[in-house]
Amino acid sequence: MTEKKKRVRTYKDTDEKITAKSLIKPFLFSLPFMVGLIIFTVYPFIKAVLLSFMENYRFLSGKFTGYGLGNYQAIIADPNFINALKSTTKYVLIVVPISMALSLLIAVGLNSVKKLQGLFQTVYFLPLVTSSTAIGMIFRWLYDYDYGLFNYFIGLFGIDRIHWLADVRFTMASICIYGIWSMLPFTIILLLAGLQNIDPVYYTAARADGAKSRDIFFNITIPLLMPTIILTSIVNMMSAFKVYDSLFVLYGGKPGPAFNLYTVIYYLYDMFWNKNKLGNAAASAMVLFVIIAVFTLLQNLISKKTNYYK
Amino acid sequence: MKVTIKNLTKKFASRDKNGEPVIAVNNLTAEFESGKLIALLGPSGCGKSTMLNMLSGILPVTSGKIYFDDTDVTDLTPDKREVGLVFQNYALYPHMTVLQNICFPLKIKKVPKDERIARAKKIARMVHIDEYLNRLPKELSGGQQQRVAIARALVKNPKLLLLDEPLSNLDAKLRLEMREEIRRIQRESGVTTVFVTHDQEEATSISDYIVLMKLGVMQQFSATRDIYNNPANLFVADFIGNPTINQLHGEYTSSGFKPDGTDEIIPIKADVAEGTRTILAARAESVTFNKGENGISAKVNDMYSSGKDWLLNIDIGNNNLRGYCDADYELIPEEIIKVQFKDKGVFLFDEKSGERYC
């Protein structure tokens, strides 16, 4: 005779059974947040997925001719979209590694500075708390042809002035400088937290073995910081793929002086707002979603490999 | 390699509750023979770890000198001193395998790859960790991590091996095993070794010499056997030995020691003025009991087991003490019996200063 064992589910680390009644309270507590999440994130997401497959969708009437891949075919055939993908990828590949390297230098430096740490923490946090419109205004002045600080600076090295915002050759550079700068604070904060998690005894041990600062940086600091570096790179990559607001503030709503900085999100906005092609906009959002999802999965895989402690 | 320490002092910038600078190590002088295992022993806050860190070069000294053989190393950095360090929590690099960990000091020294792997494997065999070369530290037990840490310290052929509380992170059973392993590894490698511990049993069981410290001051530096049989002062006698040495408070008289609360005298000869307040300290194995007429009267309280031995708890006047008795001793509480003291393991100290009289 076999006795059927009834599996009783309990809360983690307790003997308390999970029952419908015991779930009421936690459910109520999470309800306000869940409502917001469902209305503003889950519902629009599902709607966008559906929308991307609706052919000939009419915004006002809500009518469409049927489900299909038409929108995807349309955007892939659209040179604007391919350009947008190209320039967005280029932007990501420039901004993310450079801002990571700069942040790493600054974070390691800040970590070894003991005095005035509070002041530095405020200073490098500024980009994160200042409104992007204000920053945009300031950057437009920095990039100014006649009075801008950037032109003054390169003038010191005898380089001719540059039309940072108007010259097509320099638009990518201008937007990247801005992007790198605005990425620094968040990256530095995370890297600093990661650095402070490294037990100083490893440094002492390495020094006792005769390791110089350079050896320690490459053999100990970097590998032990790897989980944080990967995490931050991925987060930065996601936000870089969504580049849009910096274009808006620097070029006053245009994607570059000659429409040459067409990014994926700008394409989405353009399709949605100017051209009223909601299906195409949704399809481009889905493409971006898949790209970002791939990177997230990649990050999950790598971060499991770099967990040295558990 | 011989280690000579001369008038070594370490003052810290921090101040104690009286506003005096903290003196972690105070004017310490000692000489460690080559190839020996030396224990730095003392209660927490005695300066033993500070001593170790000054020997390794991690901490600069305030004054005094350290010589390795005849070389003055006082101002040299750790890597120039050629010392091997084993940290209390081992400090194994978590992202490197056992082999990479052991190789690291050689990698820093730019030893060719083949040679460093060969040397690391040789050391790994010696510390019995060669089966785990490709594991990460997180996949090892505490004892195995300890072995890797020792291997990493030994691989560069240090002149001096320093271990900071090497056994404190291990459970009781592993501790016994590892301390014998440390002894074996030290014998096999022949390297002069200094280790820090707060556990007197650990120190006495494996070391050749013990430096016993208290509040930065060296209390005694002698061969391990001598420190038990011949303590320099009351602190040493009290700190070394398990069970703790018995202490009888009383007065020195012309005919011997008179414990408080009784008129009987324990015969003992010392060069002390009559009437001096003294403490008679006696090891448990130096106290003998008889139900006859010889010795000083004592009242029996209880008896209890400490493993294979049995201890009898008795009162002499106002003093309580314990001594070994036979397992078949017939216990009668409140019984008055006679107690005698052997010559060996019985000392007389000044009650106030702890200075030893005999």
Side-chain angles (χ1 to χ4, degrees):
Chain A
M1 267 194 32
T2 51
E3 201 182 333
K4 231 186 185 177
K5 256 192 184 169
K6 204 178 166 192
R7 198 158 158 257
V8 181
R9 289 171 64 89
T10 57
Y11 288 103
K12 205 182 172 194
D13 304 327
T14 65
D15 294 330
E16 210 182 322
K17 283 175 201 142
I18 299 180
T19 60
K21 206 179 160 193
S22 75
L23 282 175
I24 293 175
K25 246 191 196 172
F27 178 76
L28 283 176
F29 275 122
S30 55
L31 191 63
F33 174 75
M34 291 307 247
V35 167
L37 190 74
I38 288 165
I39 294 176
F40 294 109
T41 306
V42 178
Y43 173 76
F45 176 75
I46 294 168
K47 199 77 188 159
V49 174
L50 291 176
L51 194 57
S52 73
F53 292 106
M54 292 178 186
E55 294 183 339
N56 302 320
Y57 177 79
R58 290 279 165 269
F59 180 58
L60 290 177
S61 59
K63 283 187 183 136
F64 57 101
T65 52
Y67 290 101
L69 291 171
N71 295 324
Y72 290 93
Q73 284 161 351
I75 59 167
I76 285 167
D78 187 349
N80 271 342
F81 182 71
I82 302 302
N83 273 340
L85 268 183
K86 275 185 192 159
S87 55
T88 308
T89 310
K90 195 172 166 193
Y91 174 83
V92 171
L93 291 180
I94 294 172
V95 166
V96 175
I98 293 179
S99 71
M100 182 55 65
L102 277 177
S103 303
L104 196 58
L105 275 177
I106 297 171
V108 169
L110 277 173
N111 199 36
S112 52
V113 176
K114 293 289 165 254
K115 284 174 188 164
L116 293 178
Q117 219 173 23
L119 176 74
F120 287 122
Q121 272 170 9
T122 318
V123 171
Y124 70 72
F125 213 65
L126 272 178
L128 209 62
V129 292
T130 316
S131 101
S132 56
T133 323
I135 292 169
M137 303 277 281
I138 291 167
F139 262 82
R140 284 173 82 154
W141 273 109
L142 289 175
Y143 284 138
D144 191 271
Y145 182 77
D146 294 313
Y147 309 107
L149 210 58
F150 282 104
N151 274 348
Y152 171 75
F153 185 72
I154 60 171
L156 293 179
F157 298 96
I159 303 168
D160 285 340
R161 289 179 187 181
I162 292 170
H163 281 289
W164 286 98
L165 295 177
D167 191 330
V168 179
R169 289 172 300 161
F170 293 101
T171 41
M172 187 50 101
S174 332
I175 200 77
C176 284
I177 289 171
Y178 177 90
I180 290 163
W181 178 82
S182 59
M183 219 164 246
L184 289 181
F186 179 69
T187 318
I188 293 170
I189 292 245
L190 285 187
L191 290 179
L192 259 182
L195 281 172
Q196 278 157 5
N197 266 337
I198 299 176
D199 191 333
V201 76
Y202 300 130
Y203 302 135
T204 315
R207 286 223 183 270
D209 287 335
K212 304 279 174 291
S213 298
R214 209 175 139 266
D215 301 323
I216 291 176
F217 183 74
F218 287 110
N219 288 298
I220 292 165
T221 313
I222 292 279
L224 287 182
L225 201 59
M226 214 25 123
T228 318
I229 292 177
I230 291 166
L231 171 83
T232 343
S233 313
I234 295 299
V235 174
N236 284 348
M237 212 177 273
M238 288 181 197
S239 79
F241 264 117
K242 294 188 279 186
V243 59
Y244 164 70
D245 55 344
S246 47
L247 286 173
F248 225 86
V249 292
L250 280 185
Y251 298 105
K254 283 197 215 90
F259 283 78
N260 58 329
L261 270 183
Y262 220 74
T263 70
V264 177
I265 294 284
Y266 197 92
Y267 178 84
L268 191 158
Y269 164 81
D270 198 25
M271 281 297 153
F272 175 79
W273 195 249
N274 299 333
K275 306 204 166 114
N276 243 323
K277 289 184 176 169
L278 270 65
N280 290 9
S284 66
M286 287 308 122
V287 172
L288 193 61
F289 169 74
V290 169
I291 291 172
I292 291 175
V294 166
F295 279 111
T296 315
L297 287 175
L298 218 64
Q299 181 237 344
N300 272 334
L301 283 178
I302 302 170
S303 65
K304 266 186 200 129
K305 272 198 171 173
T306 54
N307 187 356
Y308 309 113
Y309 296 99
K310 270 183 201 154
Chain B
M1 184 197 62
K2 186 179 79 179
V3 178
T4 311
I5 299 161
K6 276 193 182 149
N7 306 100
L8 198 64
T9 298
K10 179 70 193 178
K11 282 184 191 163
F12 284 113
S14 56
R15 310 211 161 231
D16 63 14
K17 54 181 184 287
N18 299 324
E20 299 289 327
V22 176
I23 303 175
V25 174
N26 198 346
N27 202 20
L28 195 147
T29 299
E31 199 178 293
F32 302 155
E33 244 178 87
S34 180
K36 298 293 183 191
L37 183 57
I38 296 111
L40 292 176
L41 176 66
S44 59
C46 73
K48 54 191 189 297
S49 290
T50 309
M51 262 299 291
L52 193 83
N53 288 339
M54 286 195 287
L55 283 175
S56 69
I58 290 175
L59 265 184
V61 309
T62 306
S63 62
K65 291 281 177 201
I66 300 169
Y67 298 91
F68 287 178
D69 282 334
D70 296 321
T71 322
D72 181 355
V73 298
T74 317
D75 298 320
L76 294 186
T77 51
D79 54 304
K80 300 258 164 44
R81 293 190 190 192
E82 296 180 59
V83 294
L85 274 170
V86 177
F87 293 85
Q88 190 171 352
N89 58 2
Y90 319 135
L92 299 178
Y93 307 121
H95 57 290
M96 298 184 196
T97 63
V98 168
L99 185 65
Q100 288 168 331
N101 260 289
I102 302 174
C103 283
F104 186 75
L106 302 178
K107 189 181 168 192
I108 292 301
K109 284 187 166 183
K110 309 239 176 348
V111 174
K113 197 169 181 185
D114 295 343
E115 191 194 330
R116 69 182 183 232
I117 289 174
R119 277 170 69 177
K121 282 186 172 166
K122 196 175 147 213
I123 292 285
R125 267 196 296 283
M126 190 173 106
V127 302
H128 299 166
I129 198 73
D130 44 332
E131 289 169 50
Y132 306 107
L133 289 177
N134 292 319
R135 294 221 190 153
L136 287 175
K138 68 173 177 185
E139 296 160 343
L140 300 177
S141 72
Q144 291 165 339
Q145 291 186 20
Q146 172 75 275
R147 289 169 195 270
V148 179
I150 294 173
R152 188 178 65 182
L154 284 176
V155 75
K156 50 187 173 174
N157 295 327
K159 291 177 174 167
L160 179 65
L161 179 64
L162 301 169
L163 303 107
D164 190 2
E165 300 262 5
L167 304 166
S168 62
N169 279 7
L170 302 173
D171 58 56
K173 213 178 152 199
L174 206 52
R175 202 173 298 167
L176 289 179
E177 185 193 317
M178 276 315 292
R179 78 184 185 200
E180 277 158 28
E181 276 298 278
I182 289 176
R183 180 74 210 173
R184 177 185 68 79
I185 293 163
Q186 191 268 332
R187 284 255 165 79
E188 264 180 47
S189 61
V191 63
T192 313
T193 303
V194 178
F195 79 102
V196 160
T197 178
H198 60 267
D199 182 346
Q200 57 92 17
E201 207 191 318
E202 210 170 284
T204 49
S205 62
I206 60 168
S207 61
D208 298 309
Y209 290 92
I210 291 180
V211 176
L212 182 55
M213 296 174 71
K214 177 196 174 190
L215 296 171
V217 180
M218 186 168 76
Q219 302 294 309
Q220 187 162 359
F221 170 46
S222 56
T224 301
R225 199 172 303 154
D226 290 345
I227 205 163
Y228 184 78
N229 292 331
N230 203 3
N233 57 41
L234 181 62
F235 175 79
V236 178
D238 182 56
F239 197 84
I240 305 280
N242 186 27
T244 316
I245 200 163
N246 292 300
Q247 293 182 30
L248 285 78
H249 292 256
E251 220 165 70
Y252 188 76
T253 69
S254 55
S255 45
F257 176 80
K258 189 192 81 63
D260 292 342
T262 173
D263 289 330
E264 290 177 77
I265 303 272
I266 299 165
I268 189 164
K269 272 257 161 290
D271 189 16
V272 196
E274 217 171 305
T276 311
R277 295 291 302 166
T278 52
I279 289 174
L280 182 96
R283 301 273 178 212
E285 66 271 21
S286 304
V287 183
T288 60
F289 308 105
N290 68 78
K291 298 206 174 186
E293 291 296 311
N294 300 322
I296 185 168
S297 305
K299 192 182 78 185
V300 176
N301 293 324
D302 202 359
M303 75 186 270
Y304 53 88
S305 151
S306 70
K308 72 174 174 54
D309 299 310
W310 286 84
L311 283 162
L312 192 65
N313 186 313
I314 57 167
D315 283 337
I316 295 178
N318 300 341
N319 295 290
N320 182 274
L321 62 162
R322 288 168 298 178
Y324 288 109
C325 65
D326 294 331
D328 54 4
Y329 179 87
E330 191 192 336
L331 177 77
I332 306 169
E334 311 268 314
E335 186 191 16
I336 304 295
I337 55 163
K338 294 288 179 186
V339 174
Q340 282 178 309
F341 294 90
K342 294 179 182 169
D343 288 342
K344 199 181 165 197
V346 178
F347 319 100
L348 194 69
F349 299 102
D350 188 88
E351 190 179 56
K352 247 192 184 147
S353 66
E355 180 194 342
R356 183 167 156 195
Y357 293 129
C358 86

